[in-house]
Amino acid sequence: MALIEYPDFVQRVRRHRPSELLPALASTAVELFDQDDWIKDRVRLPWAIAAAAKASIVSGNEHRSPGVSEKDVREICAAYNSLNTPLAPEPDDTSDISETLGALLVRTSYEQFPYQQSYFEEICRIVALFDGVDDLDTEILNSALIERVLGCPLQDFVVAGFVSAVGAQSSGGFFDPEWPALREGPGAINPHFSINTVRQVFNDYFLASFEDIRTSAKRLEQVDPRLRHHEVNPLINRPFVTLPDGRNVAPQPHLVFQRLSPAALYYAGVGALDTEQANEFTRDVGLVFQEYIGRQFRLIPKATVLPEIVHDGSQRSIDWFVIFDDLVLLVEVKSTRLSHLGRMGANKLKEDIKRCIGDAYKQVERTDLLLSEKHSAFTDIPTDRPRIAIVATLEPYWAVNNPFMADFLPDPAVPTTVASAREIERLVDVICALGGPQSLVDIVTDQERRTWNLENALPDIEVVKNPIL
């Protein structure tokens, strides 16, 4: 199929009534839920289904001929897969778009990679991350605030969301907390977990009207049509919509599982608090994540893990030192997120990367220099062995290690890689299984492998499930 523009894709979607297309998309998404199945299909890809659902809700209407066939769904997904994403800017282009290969990799990664993650770790992490929050020296964040923001305890939020996700996956994308079978019968939920909590969480955090989705899409709409299909999809935040007949459908059930992540609490907190409290809340999330990374590295039996060092008054080092017999690992923790323009590979990307990751690189460099100079505050850190560094991020910064992103970052004085929370968890599991950090050293000091996502670069071995998760 020849390359097409986004309006052409929307026109193909608009041939069908949303009330019929959305259930057809949901049915297809359930049929091809497993990664092996949609990779084998090659056309009806999960991100194409999600994009078609958004286009149908935002631009479709019921004044169309009835009927949606499997061929229609395939043609719609094929049209999406044929969308034009140019690499070269137009003459005299002043639009907010970056045409570098690095930007293309970022926007493509944020679109596609979330569907390739294991949901076990992502769902478990939202609870594990905030376990023990009441014991931390936070400004505002504690379990009581989380319950006030969410309307229920955090674990109840996760269980309720999981009920909605599994319900949709097993019912062709449909779910309704009022289904009688959830209250009574051999498979009932209510005897084990309050269906009233399921209803509250579902309505407050998972369900939207067509108008809600349209309003959000309008707010996020890009002037440049070349970025249209990389806009944030409102279904990420509200994966269910109510059809004209009153049924609730998740056109892409993957998004229901993806909703169960730390981002859900982050945005709920920021949205519920005033500006000053929201700033305190975000700083506290950073502290919580910093402590979580320390907890992960403390799982390694033969490593000594030391926290940041305050020096020269109020100056601070990197967040964690992980000391092995033949290596010192410097770990700087960042919980900041790319803006939606950064995720789309727009011109905001460079600024975001410098703000979020570039500052972390500089912190690593400063600490490495102080160690080289044998600063008196760092006497507990050995200087007789090699040093490497990790910048740990709460959410993945897809493709940030790629050489095409090098222009956005300082050239580190010490071998450095960026790794998400999931990659840190996997790294810890691998180090524990192999009895040492040599696999990490091999990656970070290899000019090619250090450009991969860390999880992909680590040895493909069987490990025990991460104890914290």
Side-chain angles (χ1 to χ4, degrees), residues 242-395:
T242 303
L243 297 173
D245 63 6
R247 294 181 299 163
N248 307 316
V249 67
Q252 178 43 279
H254 274 287
L255 299 181
V256 189
F257 286 93
Q258 291 177 24
R259 183 78 171 106
L260 296 169
S261 72
L265 175 58
Y266 176 87
Y267 284 116
V270 170
L273 303 170
D274 62 37
T275 302
E276 182 177 354
Q277 290 177 324
N279 289 334
E280 295 170 340
F281 176 81
T282 55
R283 288 195 294 268
D284 284 343
V285 170
L287 175 62
V288 166
F289 180 50
Q290 180 178 326
E291 179 60 27
Y292 179 77
I293 293 299
R295 284 164 55 203
Q296 284 291 337
F297 280 113
R298 289 193 183 103
L299 294 173
I300 302 173
K302 297 180 180 180
T304 300
V305 181
L306 299 178
E308 67 181 0
I309 295 171
V310 179
H311 61 94
D312 298 319
S314 59
Q315 300 297 307
R316 294 179 181 272
S317 71
I318 47 93
D319 295 309
W320 295 104
F321 299 85
V322 185
I323 304 170
F324 299 94
D325 290 341
D326 53 0
L327 175 74
V328 173
L329 174 61
L330 310 178
V331 183
E332 176 68 2
V333 181
K334 291 294 181 184
S335 61
T336 48
R337 299 162 50 88
L338 283 180
S339 66
H340 71 276
L341 284 175
R343 291 167 184 245
M344 290 190 298
N347 287 339
K348 186 76 170 175
L349 175 62
K350 186 173 183 179
E351 176 186 333
D352 278 5
I353 292 293
K354 285 185 174 181
R355 170 179 56 86
C356 301
I357 306 300
D359 287 350
Y361 272 46
K362 292 176 183 177
Q363 182 71 304
V364 166
E365 185 174 9
R366 284 192 291 267
T367 299
D368 180 65
L369 179 61
L370 290 168
L371 288 169
S372 297
E373 294 174 345
K374 295 183 170 24
H375 190 288
S376 60
F378 293 80
T379 54
D380 290 337
I381 313 300
T383 56
D384 61 347
R385 60 205 72 176
R387 292 189 289 272
I388 60 176
I390 289 179
V391 175
T393 62
L394 180 54
E395 295 186 1

Side-chain angles (χ1 to χ4, degrees), residues 40-326:
K40 183 179 179 180
D41 186 85
R42 299 179 64 182
V43 175
R44 295 173 295 171
L45 300 169
W47 48 89
I49 291 173
K54 173 200 167 188
S56 180
I57 295 168
V58 172
S59 302
N61 63 71
E62 294 297 306
H63 305 294
R64 294 291 183 267
S65 299
V68 178
S69 66
E70 182 177 324
K71 179 183 177 183
D72 289 320
V73 173
R74 183 173 289 275
E75 286 181 356
I76 287 170
C77 291
Y80 184 83
N81 299 337
S82 300
L83 283 171
N84 185 24
T85 302
L87 274 174
E90 300 292 336
D92 303 320
D93 189 1
T94 59
S95 61
D96 190 21
I97 185 171
S98 175
E99 300 294 358
T100 66
L101 187 53
L104 174 66
L105 289 171
V106 168
R107 69 174 72 105
T108 302
S109 299
Y110 272 98
E111 176 185 61
Q112 299 181 9
F113 285 5
Y115 296 97
Q116 302 175 46
Q117 295 186 109
S118 165
Y119 293 137
F120 167 81
E121 290 83 7
E122 301 308 307
I123 293 173
C124 291
R125 188 179 309 112
I126 187 175
V127 176
L129 188 65
F130 295 94
D131 185 32
V133 64
D134 292 333
D135 299 326
L136 298 179
D137 186 21
T138 55
E139 298 178 65
I140 188 174
L141 182 58
N142 53 35
S143 56
L145 177 66
I146 292 174
E147 184 169 352
R148 175 164 67 87
V149 166
L150 295 177
C152 63
L154 181 57
Q155 287 192 343
D156 287 0
F157 172 85
V158 174
V159 173
F162 191 71
V163 170
S164 302
V166 174
Q169 188 184 6
S170 61
S171 305
F174 290 94
F175 181 77
D176 193 332
E178 307 306 326
W179 283 341
L182 295 173
R183 296 185 174 277
E184 54 188 30
I189 298 296
N190 201 51
H192 311 284
F193 183 81
S194 172
I195 202 66
N196 292 330
T197 302
V198 175
R199 182 198 301 114
Q200 176 253 313
V201 170
F202 179 76
N203 289 331
D204 289 351
Y205 293 99
F206 288 81
L207 182 63
S209 67
F210 274 39
E211 191 55 39
D212 292 334
I213 299 297
R214 288 166 180 160
T215 299
S216 295
K218 186 65 177 177
R219 178 172 53 83
L220 297 167
E221 185 178 68
Q222 299 301 301
V223 174
D224 192 326
R226 293 170 296 169
L227 281 178
R228 261 323 133 66
H229 62 293
H230 295 292
E231 293 167 351
V232 177
N233 190 332
L235 290 168
I236 291 173
N237 293 325
R238 297 279 182 154
F240 287 91
V241 290
T242 303
L243 297 173
D245 63 6
R247 294 181 299 163
N248 307 316
V249 67
Q252 178 43 279
H254 274 287
L255 299 181
V256 189
F257 286 93
Q258 291 177 24
R259 183 78 171 106
L260 296 169
S261 72
L265 175 58
Y266 176 87
Y267 284 116
V270 170
L273 303 170
D274 62 37
T275 302
E276 182 177 354
Q277 290 177 324
N279 289 334
E280 295 170 340
F281 176 81
T282 55
R283 288 195 294 268
D284 284 343
V285 170
L287 175 62
V288 166
F289 180 50
Q290 180 178 326
E291 179 60 27
Y292 179 77
I293 293 299
R295 284 164 55 203
Q296 284 291 337
F297 280 113
R298 289 193 183 103
L299 294 173
I300 302 173
K302 297 180 180 180
T304 300
V305 181
L306 299 178
E308 67 181 0
I309 295 171
V310 179
H311 61 94
D312 298 319
S314 59
Q315 300 297 307
R316 294 179 181 272
S317 71
I318 47 93
D319 295 309
W320 295 104
F321 299 85
V322 185
I323 304 170
F324 299 94
D325 290 341
D326 53 0

